[in-house]
Amino acid sequence: MDAREQACAFCEIAAGTGGARVVYEDAHTLAFFPLAPATRGHTLVVPRAHSADLWAMDETAAQHLFRTVLLVGGALRAVLRPDGMNVINSAGAAASQSVFHTHVHLVPRRPGDPMGPIWPPKGAGFRDEEDPAADALAARVRAAIGRPGR
């Protein structure tokens, strides 16, 4: 374990040395309630192996992670019957990632809950329907993917 992993709270939980209310675990992932949940049932799903964010994971590890996200998210829906659920992954400080170990938040939602909206108010976001730069950006992304798009 390197110095970054030794200081990682999620690595400690995965190793069984950090305290958490674990609701699911397997050989590759675990899911637990955070210490300061946004709503009742708010759950974090993390890979056991340290990776700073989703982009640092290989495809197999990401598949294991999202298989657990679906499993635990389905259980939360069955048990809590929320009106909705946010599935959130933040990668990087600019995206409000505060623990630099890949994790996915499952946040059961109800009207008026303390979570609040996660998008800008209608009309306040970026608009680019008729922007030629957006068309050029779409072409560059398609080229980076290596497959034709629309």
Side-chain angles (χ1 to χ4, degrees), residues 72-136:
V72 174
L76 288 167
R77 291 179 66 214
V79 170
L80 295 173
R81 303 233 183 263
D83 295 313
M85 187 175 311
N86 287 119
V87 180
I88 303 167
N89 170 261
S90 299
S96 68
Q97 183 180 6
S98 59
V99 177
F100 292 89
H101 180 121
T102 306
H103 58 286
V104 176
H105 296 262
L106 295 169
V107 186
R109 301 297 306 271
R110 298 193 186 286
D113 67 30
M115 179 76 173
I118 64 167
W119 298 104
K122 190 170 180 94
F126 185 75
R127 301 188 62 89
D128 66 358
E129 303 93 21
E130 302 296 327
D131 184 356
D135 293 333

